[in-house]
Amino acid sequence: MGTYRAPLEDMSFVIDELLDAAGTLGELPLYAEHGISPELTTALLDEGGKLAGEVLAPLRRVGDEHPATCADGKVSISPGFAEAMSQFAAGGWVGISAAVEHGGQGLPELYSTAGHEMWNSANLAIALAPLLSSSAALAIAAHGSDEQKRTYLEKMHSGEWLGTMNLTDSGAGSDLGVMKARAVPEGDHYRISGQKIFITWGDHEAAENIVHLVLAKLPDAPPGSRGISLFIVPKYLVKDDGSPGERNDVYPVSCEHKLGIHGSPTCVMAFGDGDGAVGYLLGEENRGLACMFTMMNEARLKVGIQALGAAEASFQQARDYARERVQGGMPIIEHPDVKRMLLTMKSLTEAMRALAYSEAVTMDMAHVGPEQDRARQQSRIDLMIPVIKGWLSEVGQDLTSLGVQVHGGMGFVEETGAAQYFRDVRITSIYEGTNGIQAADLVTRKLGRDGGAAMEAVLQDIRATSGELAAADDQRLLAIGAALGAALADMEASTQYVLHALSEDASRALAASFDYLMQTGYLFGGWQMGRAALVALHRLRDGSDNPFYEQKLATALFYAEQILPRCRAHAGAVSGAAASEHAYPVDWV
């Protein structure tokens, strides 16, 4: 079983060289005092890497083999998890990108994204707790009253209290319009009743308090999703001095028995089985979905990061195993097909990292960049989020499956731990909106709302990179540029097809939406690898003898020659999807 080591050199390369965090973010007034620099990057990644590798990673198998359990209205979490989470909180990692005035570190989202990659590589089950908590805190920061912010945010950003998201009623799935949970006004608060399922880290004793954000309907609410409100429902009611007080009427009913992430207590939560749980309105009545969507971009970015983290850790274990496993008189890493699998894992993981980190910078710029540029940046991040959530999670499944395959029969037995990455990552294409929802969102809302303008702006950037590669006097860059240019041409044709389909029959566009999302992801990943190749060649010609840059060039070339051709296949499926699907009667399926 391998030991996770944070890929610090590639993470630093992306942050400091490819994205130039110091130049891009360091000049912004909000971040100027933090001294954004390669030195800061190194310090943060080094400390984060130690926490991930030495504290969280050793508990990955513990959580898988000793899952969270629920009995008598109380959840018991996996051995060692509470202590690890205490160390995590003590390091200030929960609120790394939260506002200083709310108890956070005030650093860019880019650094939070890098941190989450390490946590999820090391132990996806534990990493879910701060992910959901920071998302809940973001909603309170955006929509809460001054009193609510004072009451909850500092405690949540310190990790003393954790937060959850309670969206799904039993039997409702992603259809929030049929919600049964109810909220009845009572003085300065509401009485919440109902049951929620799939609540990540819904109950535990690893924090002093748990701040549940709960979607529910008022008695006179409009029908459907327009009548949903959002409430803060703390596990323990908060006393006047800010400390946890009386237990609220919210209890876990059971822990879900899941395919993976066994160490994460995914609970069925009962609100108000007794006198009714006390809840406090967050934002305005009947505006709950709008409040929830405040945090959706960040949450969906982090789900993509979960898949990246699992893929990176799976790659490391597969690579180490292939170096040690001898077959036919040689380590299996020398077998061409094993080498192919490992290079596929390596190149796609690096592309995923570069794309996700790049768009974390876009998120930062949309929030705190120059005022006149924020709308453009927001339009871009809105376009990118379904791609990052959808493409990264689909690819994460493929890569962790390859990790099992590299192990051969030993990957199919649980003792090696290779299969756990495959099982754990499987949820990422389902929660926070299934990937079918992401694909539909990309095509109908993000592409359709502006006639493809936001997509065209990104494609223009890709054209520029392709042009730089085509003008290079290096054969590797010329080959990368040719492959990127061909994939770009296919993307232009697919985009025009989808836009035309939207104008005539939206169902045609929806039939093509998943392949369009995947085509977009592979192209955007190839774009980032092309950009990385340009930086690497520049460093080598400046006299660097660091072998990392030669490796980066070789990995980018592999991606261009072996991965980018997948764009052509998805493009063919896009143009043919609607006809074949419409011609197939439902009762034949």
Short mmCIF file of all heavy atoms in Angstrom, two decimals, residues 432-458:
data_model
loop_
_atom_site.label_atom_id
_atom_site.label_comp_id
_atom_site.label_asym_id
_atom_site.label_seq_id
_atom_site.Cartn_x
_atom_site.Cartn_y
_atom_site.Cartn_z
N GLU A 432 -23.89 17.11 -5.47
CA GLU A 432 -23.80 18.51 -5.90
C GLU A 432 -24.30 18.68 -7.34
O GLU A 432 -23.78 19.51 -8.10
CB GLU A 432 -22.37 19.04 -5.76
CG GLU A 432 -21.88 19.13 -4.34
CD GLU A 432 -22.72 20.05 -3.47
OE1 GLU A 432 -23.35 20.98 -3.99
OE2 GLU A 432 -22.76 19.82 -2.24
N GLY A 433 -25.29 17.91 -7.71
CA GLY A 433 -25.83 17.94 -9.07
C GLY A 433 -25.15 16.89 -9.91
O GLY A 433 -23.94 16.96 -10.15
N THR A 434 -25.89 15.87 -10.34
CA THR A 434 -25.30 14.81 -11.16
C THR A 434 -24.64 15.40 -12.41
O THR A 434 -24.92 16.53 -12.80
CB THR A 434 -26.36 13.80 -11.60
OG1 THR A 434 -27.27 14.46 -12.51
CG2 THR A 434 -27.13 13.24 -10.43
N ASN A 435 -23.80 14.62 -13.02
CA ASN A 435 -23.11 15.14 -14.21
C ASN A 435 -24.04 15.35 -15.39
O ASN A 435 -23.75 16.15 -16.29
CB ASN A 435 -21.93 14.25 -14.58
CG ASN A 435 -20.77 14.46 -13.63
OD1 ASN A 435 -20.80 15.35 -12.77
ND2 ASN A 435 -19.73 13.65 -13.76
N GLY A 436 -25.18 14.66 -15.40
CA GLY A 436 -26.19 14.98 -16.40
C GLY A 436 -26.75 16.38 -16.18
O GLY A 436 -27.01 17.12 -17.14
N ILE A 437 -26.91 16.75 -14.90
CA ILE A 437 -27.36 18.10 -14.57
C ILE A 437 -26.29 19.12 -14.95
O ILE A 437 -26.60 20.20 -15.47
CB ILE A 437 -27.73 18.19 -13.08
CG1 ILE A 437 -29.00 17.37 -12.80
CG2 ILE A 437 -27.92 19.64 -12.65
CD1 ILE A 437 -29.35 17.26 -11.34
N GLN A 438 -25.03 18.78 -14.71
CA GLN A 438 -23.94 19.69 -15.08
C GLN A 438 -23.91 19.91 -16.60
O GLN A 438 -23.72 21.04 -17.07
CB GLN A 438 -22.59 19.13 -14.61
CG GLN A 438 -22.48 18.87 -13.13
CD GLN A 438 -22.82 20.06 -12.28
OE1 GLN A 438 -22.36 21.18 -12.53
NE2 GLN A 438 -23.63 19.84 -11.26
N ALA A 439 -24.10 18.82 -17.34
CA ALA A 439 -24.07 18.94 -18.80
C ALA A 439 -25.23 19.79 -19.30
O ALA A 439 -25.07 20.65 -20.19
CB ALA A 439 -24.12 17.54 -19.43
N ALA A 440 -26.42 19.57 -18.72
CA ALA A 440 -27.58 20.37 -19.11
C ALA A 440 -27.37 21.84 -18.74
O ALA A 440 -27.74 22.74 -19.51
CB ALA A 440 -28.84 19.83 -18.44
N ASP A 441 -26.78 22.08 -17.59
CA ASP A 441 -26.50 23.45 -17.15
C ASP A 441 -25.53 24.13 -18.11
O ASP A 441 -25.72 25.29 -18.51
CB ASP A 441 -25.93 23.41 -15.74
CG ASP A 441 -25.55 24.79 -15.21
OD1 ASP A 441 -26.39 25.70 -15.27
OD2 ASP A 441 -24.41 24.96 -14.75
N LEU A 442 -24.48 23.41 -18.50
CA LEU A 442 -23.48 23.97 -19.42
C LEU A 442 -24.13 24.39 -20.73
O LEU A 442 -23.89 25.49 -21.24
CB LEU A 442 -22.38 22.94 -19.68
CG LEU A 442 -21.35 23.31 -20.76
CD1 LEU A 442 -20.55 24.54 -20.35
CD2 LEU A 442 -20.43 22.13 -21.05
N VAL A 443 -24.98 23.52 -21.27
CA VAL A 443 -25.54 23.76 -22.60
C VAL A 443 -26.69 24.77 -22.57
O VAL A 443 -26.72 25.72 -23.36
CB VAL A 443 -25.99 22.42 -23.22
CG1 VAL A 443 -26.92 22.65 -24.39
CG2 VAL A 443 -24.77 21.62 -23.66
N THR A 444 -27.64 24.58 -21.68
CA THR A 444 -28.85 25.41 -21.72
C THR A 444 -28.68 26.75 -21.03
O THR A 444 -29.14 27.78 -21.54
CB THR A 444 -30.03 24.66 -21.10
OG1 THR A 444 -29.74 24.35 -19.72
CG2 THR A 444 -30.32 23.38 -21.87
N ARG A 445 -28.03 26.76 -19.86
CA ARG A 445 -27.92 28.00 -19.09
C ARG A 445 -26.64 28.77 -19.41
O ARG A 445 -26.67 29.97 -19.63
CB ARG A 445 -27.99 27.71 -17.59
CG ARG A 445 -29.35 27.19 -17.13
CD ARG A 445 -29.44 27.02 -15.63
NE ARG A 445 -29.38 28.32 -14.95
CZ ARG A 445 -28.40 28.68 -14.12
NH1 ARG A 445 -27.39 27.88 -13.88
NH2 ARG A 445 -28.40 29.86 -13.53
N LYS A 446 -25.52 28.08 -19.45
CA LYS A 446 -24.25 28.79 -19.59
C LYS A 446 -23.94 29.11 -21.05
O LYS A 446 -23.47 30.21 -21.37
CB LYS A 446 -23.12 27.97 -18.96
CG LYS A 446 -23.39 27.58 -17.51
CD LYS A 446 -23.71 28.78 -16.63
CE LYS A 446 -24.21 28.42 -15.24
NZ LYS A 446 -23.37 27.53 -14.47
N LEU A 447 -24.21 28.18 -21.94
CA LEU A 447 -23.98 28.44 -23.37
C LEU A 447 -25.14 29.21 -23.97
O LEU A 447 -24.96 30.16 -24.74
CB LEU A 447 -23.78 27.12 -24.11
CG LEU A 447 -23.17 27.19 -25.51
CD1 LEU A 447 -21.71 27.64 -25.44
CD2 LEU A 447 -23.28 25.84 -26.21
N GLY A 448 -26.35 28.83 -23.59
CA GLY A 448 -27.53 29.41 -24.22
C GLY A 448 -27.85 30.83 -23.79
O GLY A 448 -28.41 31.60 -24.57
N ARG A 449 -27.49 31.19 -22.57
CA ARG A 449 -27.95 32.49 -22.06
C ARG A 449 -27.30 33.67 -22.78
O ARG A 449 -27.88 34.76 -22.83
CB ARG A 449 -27.70 32.60 -20.56
CG ARG A 449 -26.24 32.73 -20.15
CD ARG A 449 -26.07 32.82 -18.65
NE ARG A 449 -24.67 32.91 -18.27
CZ ARG A 449 -24.27 32.90 -17.00
NH1 ARG A 449 -25.15 32.81 -16.02
NH2 ARG A 449 -22.98 32.99 -16.73
N ASP A 450 -26.09 33.48 -23.31
CA ASP A 450 -25.42 34.60 -23.98
C ASP A 450 -25.06 34.27 -25.42
O ASP A 450 -24.21 34.91 -26.03
CB ASP A 450 -24.16 35.01 -23.20
CG ASP A 450 -23.12 33.92 -23.11
OD1 ASP A 450 -23.32 32.85 -23.71
OD2 ASP A 450 -22.08 34.13 -22.43
N GLY A 451 -25.72 33.23 -25.96
CA GLY A 451 -25.44 32.86 -27.34
C GLY A 451 -24.03 32.36 -27.57
O GLY A 451 -23.51 32.43 -28.69
N GLY A 452 -23.40 31.84 -26.52
CA GLY A 452 -22.05 31.30 -26.65
C GLY A 452 -20.94 32.32 -26.48
O GLY A 452 -19.77 32.00 -26.74
N ALA A 453 -21.26 33.53 -26.00
CA ALA A 453 -20.24 34.58 -25.89
C ALA A 453 -19.14 34.21 -24.89
O ALA A 453 -17.94 34.42 -25.16
CB ALA A 453 -20.89 35.91 -25.50
N ALA A 454 -19.52 33.69 -23.73
CA ALA A 454 -18.51 33.32 -22.73
C ALA A 454 -17.63 32.20 -23.24
O ALA A 454 -16.40 32.21 -23.05
CB ALA A 454 -19.19 32.92 -21.42
N MET A 455 -18.23 31.22 -23.91
CA MET A 455 -17.44 30.14 -24.48
C MET A 455 -16.50 30.68 -25.56
O MET A 455 -15.32 30.30 -25.63
CB MET A 455 -18.36 29.07 -25.08
CG MET A 455 -17.64 27.94 -25.79
SD MET A 455 -16.59 26.96 -24.68
CE MET A 455 -17.83 25.91 -23.91
N GLU A 456 -16.98 31.58 -26.39
CA GLU A 456 -16.15 32.14 -27.45
C GLU A 456 -14.95 32.88 -26.86
O GLU A 456 -13.84 32.84 -27.44
CB GLU A 456 -16.97 33.07 -28.34
CG GLU A 456 -16.17 33.84 -29.39
CD GLU A 456 -15.37 32.94 -30.31
OE1 GLU A 456 -15.79 31.78 -30.56
OE2 GLU A 456 -14.33 33.40 -30.82
N ALA A 457 -15.13 33.54 -25.73
CA ALA A 457 -14.00 34.25 -25.10
C ALA A 457 -12.91 33.27 -24.68
O ALA A 457 -11.71 33.54 -24.84
CB ALA A 457 -14.51 35.04 -23.89
N VAL A 458 -13.32 32.10 -24.15
CA VAL A 458 -12.34 31.09 -23.77
C VAL A 458 -11.69 30.50 -25.02
O VAL A 458 -10.47 30.30 -25.07
CB VAL A 458 -12.98 29.98 -22.92
CG1 VAL A 458 -11.95 28.91 -22.56
CG2 VAL A 458 -13.60 30.55 -21.65
#
